[in-house]
């Protein structure tokens, strides 16, 4: 899978103009942004050391060196953590080949959240389980099994652009999280296959993936155009499932009395079962 530390560092060097870091911008430059020699100079390391880092031979790089490179390239907290993972990747034994099953306690929690759309995401953005209101909003049970994956749904489902009025923002967020997952699990063959599939079938995915964005999926806003009740303007919160590090509980929220809350109540009244549904 294409996911090297060199690709990431080159993409970040290209974002910075020399004059932004006090370097002259005149003269002919063969690369966009900073040269490797300039990054090395500003970070206080030798050019040879930095080149080895970009070539993926920096597994012994110290936190101090990586922090200096992150400072020069103006990486945010998530990007800096991603750099540390790429520069010092975990061994192949640490790569997950599958997801843990949903705990009964997590299923019960989904069941009890009758007024909140909720679902559980696992590795590679697979949708593992959902509650009745989450299904009423997202339509998980009606989707083909291969589209019960947030990345596939976003880029390969023809209905996704209408479902997400701000599709470009959803697409960018999806790629940024998938990039983060790829950095943590460089030996994951299933993730490599997913990235390969999306790259072949979606030009937009290829373009976004090449930019090497990284971002945690913690909270934000999500606008959905529902086929029955119209636009739903949600906030979302993503919560880790204790004891299952690769599972996340995603909840959609709306202020009481808001138009979205009223539409949710309507959807809830149409829902006959409050039991969570697990993907087969």
């Amino acid at each position: 899978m294409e996911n090297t530390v060199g690709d990431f560092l080159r993409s970040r060097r290209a974002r910075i103009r020399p004059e932004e870091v006090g370097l002259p911008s005149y003269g002919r430059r063969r690369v966009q942004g900073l040269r490797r020699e300039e990054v090395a100079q500003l970070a206080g390391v030798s050019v040879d050391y930095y080149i080895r880092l970009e070539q993926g031979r920096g597994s012994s790089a110290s936190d101090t060196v990586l922090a200096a490179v992150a400072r020069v390239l103006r990486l945010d907290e998530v990007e800096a953590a991603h750099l540390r993972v790429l520069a010092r990747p975990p061994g192949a034994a640490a790569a997950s080949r599958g997801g843990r099953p949903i705990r009964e306690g997590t299923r019960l929690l989904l069941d009890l959240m009758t007024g909140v759309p909720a679902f559980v995401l696992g590795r590679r953005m697979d949708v593992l389980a959902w509650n009745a209101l989450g299904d009423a909003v997202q339509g998980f049970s009606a989707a083909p099994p291969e589209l019960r994956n947030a990345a596939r749904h976003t880029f390969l489902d023809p209905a996704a652009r209408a479902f997400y009025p701000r599709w470009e923002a959803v697409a960018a967020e999806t790629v940024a999280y998938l990039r983060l997952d790829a950095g943590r699990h460089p030996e994951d063959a299933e993730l490599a296959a997913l990235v390969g599939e999306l790259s072949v079938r979606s030009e937009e995915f290829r373009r976004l993936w090449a930019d090497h964005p990284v971002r945690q999926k913690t909270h934000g806003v999500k606008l959905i155009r529902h086929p029955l009740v119209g636009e739903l303007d949600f906030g979302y919160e993503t919560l880790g499932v204790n004891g299952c590090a690769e599972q996340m509980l995603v909840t959609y929220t709306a202020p009481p009395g808001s138009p979205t809350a009223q539409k949710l109540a309507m959807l809830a009244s149409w829902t006959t079962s409050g039991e969570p549904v697990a993907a087969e």
Side-chain angles (χ1 to χ4, degrees):
M1 178 167 55
E2 175 273 320
N3 187 40
T4 67
V5 63
D7 293 330
F8 178 67
L9 289 172
R10 284 189 290 273
S11 73
R12 293 312 184 259
R13 283 198 284 120
R15 297 190 309 186
I16 302 176
R17 297 193 302 272
E19 57 269 25
E20 293 178 23
V21 292
L23 294 173
S25 59
Y26 56 81
R28 186 176 179 181
R29 303 182 72 89
R30 294 184 298 172
V31 298
Q32 182 179 356
L34 296 179
R35 301 184 180 101
R36 292 182 298 185
E37 295 82 359
E38 292 167 337
V39 175
Q41 175 188 347
L42 293 168
V45 299
S46 71
V47 174
D48 182 63
Y49 190 101
Y50 181 77
I51 289 175
R52 291 202 307 272
L53 181 62
E54 277 206 3
Q55 291 175 340
R57 297 186 289 135
S59 59
S60 61
S62 67
D63 286 340
T64 301
V65 168
L66 295 178
V69 172
R71 171 183 53 78
V72 171
L73 297 181
R74 301 185 177 183
L75 304 186
D76 62 25
E77 183 177 344
V78 174
E79 290 173 323
H82 185 61
L83 172 60
R84 291 194 294 271
V85 170
L86 292 181
R88 298 183 303 219
S96 172
R97 291 291 186 263
R100 294 187 181 183
I102 301 297
R103 290 200 311 255
E104 287 305 313
T106 305
R107 292 177 183 273
L108 179 59
L109 179 60
L110 285 171
D111 188 19
L112 293 173
M113 298 171 69
T114 57
V116 178
F119 54 95
V120 176
L121 278 183
R123 285 292 320 284
R124 313 169 198 96
M125 304 191 78
D126 286 334
V127 181
L128 304 179
W130 52 86
N131 65 7
L133 196 51
D135 194 20
V137 170
Q138 291 277 169
F140 294 123
S141 62
E146 64 271 15
L147 290 182
R148 293 174 190 166
N149 172 280
R152 282 197 184 94
H153 168 65
T154 300
F155 289 97
L156 303 184
D157 187 345
R161 291 177 185 268
F163 189 71
Y164 297 120
R166 299 170 185 160
W167 183 87
E168 290 80 5
V170 174
E173 176 186 86
T174 299
V175 171
Y177 180 78
L178 206 60
R179 263 289 183 192
L180 206 60
D181 196 31
R184 292 167 176 161
H185 303 278
E187 304 295 331
D188 188 336
E190 291 183 43
L191 180 54
L194 174 62
V195 170
E197 175 190 1
L198 294 173
S199 297
V200 168
R201 299 179 63 185
S202 171
E203 180 181 352
E204 293 92 342
F205 181 87
R206 288 197 304 274
R207 176 178 56 79
L208 290 168
W209 188 258
D211 287 340
H212 288 258
V214 286
R215 180 182 172 187
Q216 289 279 17
K217 186 179 177 67
T218 55
H219 65 278
V221 296
K222 187 68 65 71
L223 184 64
I224 289 173
R225 184 178 290 119
H226 194 275
L228 296 179
V229 298
E231 288 199 352
L232 297 168
D233 193 358
F234 290 117
Y236 73 80
E237 296 289 334
T238 301
L239 311 172
V241 178
N242 286 340
C244 300
E246 296 176 349
Q247 294 178 7
M248 302 182 299
L249 175 64
V250 182
T251 61
Y252 287 162
T253 60
S258 66
T260 295
Q262 294 171 10
K263 293 175 183 178
L264 270 184
M266 190 181 306
L267 283 175
S269 70
W270 296 339
T271 302
T272 59
S273 172
E275 294 184 2
V277 183
E280 296 178 358

